[in-house]
Amino acid sequence: MKKKKSKKNQTNANLTGQKLGQTKNSAKLVLFVFGIGPIIGIIIFLYSKGFFNSPTM
């Protein structure tokens, strides 16, 4: 009985670890998209408006 019980606990621990890993990966993805995405969008917008072009006299 003890072997089966410990094996069951290990299986649950592995499943919990996998769920935690997926949660961490999805959190990193969300932070990347909502953190880096707007910065890239702003750079593209400013570039299209000529913000990075040197002024001519």
Side-chain angles (χ1 to χ4, degrees):
M1 286 300 250
K2 287 185 178 180
K3 287 184 179 180
K4 288 183 182 179
K5 188 174 181 182
S6 64
K7 188 174 184 180
K8 186 177 180 182
N9 287 342
Q10 288 175 352
T11 312
N12 288 341
N14 288 340
L15 290 174
T16 307
Q18 288 176 353
K19 288 180 183 177
L20 186 61
Q22 289 176 351
T23 305
K24 285 183 179 180
N25 288 339
S26 61
K28 287 179 184 179
L29 180 66
V30 167
L31 286 174
F32 180 77
V33 168
F34 288 103
I36 304 297
I39 294 172
I40 294 173
I42 290 168
I43 290 172
I44 292 172
F45 174 77
L46 291 174
Y47 184 78
S48 68
K49 297 294 180 183
F51 181 79
F52 296 110
N53 294 338
S54 61
T56 55
M57 298 256 175

